């Protein structure tokens, strides 16, 4: 099946939710695709100095400003969207991603592998790795940023049936884009990493994000890679049949050839 997938790369302004929502709306209005992936913490920015700052910009996964924007765009464009949010749930804060479908349904993933200072700001994800049906029942698995460094994340999503991994990110280390090519090859699926650009400055601290959002194929080809700074949405047509074929050679299959009895079990 042909499927049009997109990545939206931009530079969110720290703590300025209103401006970031407007920016996302501007970038996405009129762009037709089956699925578009946006960065991690897209409406809030990233470099919080304390929990109070996160709380100020956090939102409900199902009824918050990001969910509402994506529901509106999903209905207008008949597209599914994935975006990262600072999620408020009861007295907890999670670094989460939501998937919003054209029928208005919202699905939730909470980042499992928190990166560096995130451990002082967010609770670790408690929902497991999750695969959801997008438009036309296409199974998409969700990961957020630093989940990339643990191959188990993508592996679990593939074993749960994902044909595409939607990867919202705020990348700062220089290795992820290359690693996601391997994640694609070893799992024989598509990946869409939507990273952000720019620099967050807060109270003497500073973090610069690497851009280079990309879409990769089960053969490890990069069908799109943006540069470090551009803010734009790009789309590409993929053939999902490629993600259904798990044979590397006629006699090698990435699922059934596994020898899990020899793998380290904790
Ligand atoms: C990251 O996980 N945002 C680096």
């Amino acid at each position: 099946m042909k499927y049009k997938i997109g990545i939206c790369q931009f530079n969110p302004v720290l703590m300025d939710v209103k401006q970031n929502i407007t920016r996302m709306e501007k970038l996405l209005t009129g762009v037709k695709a089956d699925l578009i992936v946006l960065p991690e913490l897209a409406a809030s920015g990233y470099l919080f100095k304390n929990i109070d700052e996160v709380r100020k910009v956090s939102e409900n996964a199902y009824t918050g400003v990001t969910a509402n924007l994506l529901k509106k765009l999903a209905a207008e464009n008949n597209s599914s969207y994935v975006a990262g949010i600072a999620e408020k749930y009861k007295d907890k804060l999670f670094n989460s991603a939501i998937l919003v479908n054209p029928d208005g349904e919202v699905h939730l993933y909470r980042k499992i592998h928190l990166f560096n200072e995130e451990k002082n700001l967010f609770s670790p994800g408690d929902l497991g790795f999750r695969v959801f049906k997008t438009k036309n029942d296409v199974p998409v698995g969700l990961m957020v940023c630093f989940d990339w460094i643990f191959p188990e994340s993508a592996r679990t999503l593939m074993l749960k049936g994902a044909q595409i991994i939607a990867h919202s990110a705020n990348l700062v280390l220089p290795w992820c884009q290359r690693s996601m090519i391997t994640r694609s090859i070893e799992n024989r699926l598509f990946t869409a990493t939507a990273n952000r650009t720019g620099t967050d400055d807060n109270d003497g601290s500073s973090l610069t994000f690497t851009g280079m959002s990309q879409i990769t194929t089960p053969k490890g080809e990069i069908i799109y890679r943006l540069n470090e700074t551009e803010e734009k949405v790009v789309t590409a047509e993929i053939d999902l049949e490629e993600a259904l074929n798990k044979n590397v050679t006629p006699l090698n299959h990435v699922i059934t050839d596994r020898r899990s009895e020899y793998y380290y079990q904790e």
Side-chain angles (χ1 to χ4, degrees):
M1 191 203 326
K2 299 282 188 214
Y3 195 77
K4 198 167 177 190
I5 186 168
I7 41 178
C8 174
Q9 172 171 297
F10 75 109
N11 179 8
V13 178
L14 183 63
M15 308 285 293
D16 193 338
V17 173
K18 199 159 174 242
Q19 189 173 330
N20 295 329
I21 290 286
T22 303
R23 183 86 182 113
M24 283 186 260
E25 184 166 16
K26 223 178 212 162
L27 283 164
L28 292 167
T29 294
V31 180
K32 302 280 181 203
D34 295 307
L35 169 69
I36 297 181
V37 185
L38 292 105
E40 178 184 12
L41 296 171
S44 63
Y46 182 85
L47 189 58
F48 306 107
K49 63 173 187 257
N50 54 47
I51 288 175
D52 285 343
E53 284 192 349
V54 185
R55 211 174 286 287
K56 264 187 211 146
V57 293
S58 62
E59 55 182 302
N60 182 282
Y62 302 94
T63 58
V65 280
T66 305
N68 287 342
L69 170 69
L70 297 183
K71 280 185 227 175
K72 173 176 162 287
L73 290 166
E76 276 171 17
N77 295 325
N78 189 27
S79 176
S80 297
Y81 296 90
V82 170
I85 61 163
E87 187 205 359
K88 179 165 34 188
Y89 178 72
K90 297 185 176 168
D91 59 344
K92 289 191 171 174
L93 297 165
F94 293 97
N95 183 342
S96 298
I98 52 171
L99 164 66
V100 180
N101 279 331
D103 61 4
E105 221 177 353
V106 179
H107 300 284
L108 176 65
Y109 164 69
R110 293 176 173 151
K111 186 176 185 177
I112 287 180
H113 302 106
L114 295 175
F115 178 70
N116 205 10
E117 297 291 335
E118 289 173 31
K119 291 188 175 189
N120 298 323
L121 301 170
F122 297 101
S123 297
D126 57 359
L127 299 174
F129 287 104
R130 316 187 91 186
V131 176
F132 302 108
K133 296 282 171 68
T134 56
K135 198 183 142 185
N136 300 332
D137 283 343
V138 173
V140 171
L142 268 52
M143 263 169 52
V144 174
C145 207
F146 195 53
D147 285 329
W148 69 267
I149 207 165
F150 301 92
E152 294 88 347
S153 312
R155 179 62 106 201
T156 301
L157 291 170
M158 182 274 275
L159 292 172
K160 287 187 166 186
Q163 293 172 20
I164 300 168
I165 291 179
H167 182 209
S168 296
N170 278 187
L171 296 162
V172 292
L173 301 175
W175 308 298
C176 172
Q177 288 85 347
R178 281 177 282 156
S179 298
M180 289 308 288
I181 297 169
T182 304
R183 300 289 99 82
S184 298
I185 296 168
E186 66 199 3
N187 293 298
R188 295 185 71 86
L189 44 63
F190 293 90
T191 75
T193 297
N195 192 19
R196 62 163 287 182
T197 61
T199 299
D200 271 359
D201 291 302
N202 195 352
D203 202 25
S205 296
S206 180
L207 262 188
T208 295
F209 303 90
T210 58
M212 296 194 288
S213 298
Q214 65 184 20
I215 300 169
T216 65
T217 75
K219 293 189 178 132
E221 297 136 344
I222 301 166
I223 36 184
Y224 244 119
R225 182 182 277 172
L226 297 175
N227 73 21
E228 289 92 336
T229 54
E230 60 196 332
E231 297 185 70
K232 60 156 60 159
V233 187
V234 291
T235 62
E237 192 168 85
I238 59 175
D239 183 354
L240 291 171
E241 290 300 315
E242 286 181 47
L244 295 177
N245 174 8
K246 297 300 185 193
N247 277 93
V248 182
T249 72
L251 297 182
N252 291 106
H253 189 279
V254 293
I255 300 176
T256 57
D257 270 12
R258 286 175 309 128
R259 304 286 309 277
S260 52
E261 69 271 33
Y262 293 109
Y263 303 159
Y264 187 74
Q265 313 278 340
E266 281 164 86

